[in-house]
Amino acid sequence: MTTNRTPLIAGNWKMNGAETESVALARAVAEGAPGGCELLVCPPAVLIPPVAAVLKGSGVAVGGQDCHFAEGGAHTGDIAAAMLADVGCSHVILGHSERRADHGESDELVRSKTEAAHAAGLVAIVCVGETLAERDGGETLARISSQIEGSLPAAATAENTVIAYEPVWAIGTGRTASPADVEEVHTHIRGDIERRFGAGVAGGIRILYGGSMKPSNAVELLAINGVDGGLIGGASLKAEEFLTIARSCS
Ligand code: PGA
């Protein structure tokens, strides 16, 4: 990573944890946070307030894992972007492949959620990624382009949006894309961003890699041209693993 983009190392805790262990995890992350990158943790929604309380003033940011597209109202079980901001979030993950699969989220829905996040002052981490069938079928770049086109609103900027490239087949499987494949996709995404939003946005926007990033492969993955950090699931649940990844940025 030889750019002026500050790397972002984001932990996606998914549907894991209870209050005591989550607060301890957050505290350990804050205590061991290295310089040289931004750190973010995204706990399950009900754990955001205690985690945000322990991280207050630490420099480690807190994010949600999803939000609704509406400002509020009759949406049982959902959470508005402004509610996330109100309890201390600065970021929200949107369009994760698990939400696209479990909840049938379309690019159009992800775009409207991204607009809601921006309206609430949150940085949206918009996830894209191909399935194994799409990769094997030679459709990876076309799939990524259509997700980027459909999921990003016109008002996306390098400040309010981060992109996470997560090959679906690499998430939670222990498999990672090869460095050449990761570089190809990241370069392709930045090209799409440049064509639609201009060189300024393309040069500034951060594109994270996600999918089985762990201490043993983080140095290699984070050194790839165009990789500006990581979105980390399993390895973000252990402070030492997450911090080892964070230290791999420098
Ligand atoms: P993983 O998850 O690191 O466990 O593969 C990454 C993600 O889903 O964001």
Side-chain angles (χ1 to χ4, degrees), residues 12 14 96 98 166 170-173 210-213 231-235:
N12 175 9
K14 307 192 180 184
H96 190 281
E98 287 152 14
E166 300 201 303
I171 294 175
T173 59
S212 297
M213 190 182 281
L231 180 56
I232 296 122

Side-chain angles (χ1 to χ4, degrees), residues 18-192:
E19 181 163 351
T20 306
E21 70 191 86
S22 298
V23 165
L25 173 58
R27 187 173 285 119
V29 167
E31 283 171 1
C37 64
E38 284 176 25
L39 285 186
L40 165 71
V41 296
C42 300
V46 295
L47 297 175
I48 289 171
V51 166
V54 77
L55 291 179
K56 200 164 185 181
S58 72
V60 178
V62 183
Q65 298 177 11
D66 178 48
C67 70
H68 197 272
F69 63 82
E71 281 179 31
H75 300 285
T76 301
D78 278 310
I79 296 171
M83 295 173 176
L84 294 176
D86 186 51
V87 291
C89 290
S90 51
H91 295 66
V92 61
I93 299 168
L94 294 172
H96 190 281
S97 61
E98 287 152 14
R99 292 210 57 89
R100 290 178 186 263
D102 294 354
H103 300 274
E105 293 197 1
S106 64
D107 292 334
E108 190 181 11
L109 180 64
V110 174
R111 186 175 66 241
S112 59
K113 290 182 174 200
T114 303
E115 286 169 340
H118 291 164
L122 298 176
V123 175
I125 301 177
V126 177
C127 302
V128 297
E130 82 286 2
T131 63
L132 192 55
E134 288 162 347
R135 175 156 287 276
D136 288 345
E139 297 158 26
T140 297
L141 299 181
R143 182 79 190 109
I144 299 294
S145 282
S146 75
Q147 287 180 327
I148 291 283
E149 170 68 22
S151 304
L152 292 188
T157 67
E159 288 72 40
N160 67 20
T161 305
V162 172
I163 293 164
Y165 167 55
E166 300 201 303
V168 176
W169 49 271
I171 294 175
T173 59
R175 296 182 59 189
T176 50
S178 73
D181 289 341
V182 173
E183 181 164 354
E184 179 186 38
V185 175
H186 279 238
T187 303
H188 184 80
I189 292 171
R190 215 175 288 285
D192 282 350

Side-chain angles (χ1 to χ4, degrees), residues 3-18:
T3 72
N4 52 10
R5 299 184 292 270
T6 306
L8 173 64
I9 300 295
N12 175 9
W13 292 1
K14 307 192 180 184
M15 197 169 70
N16 293 293

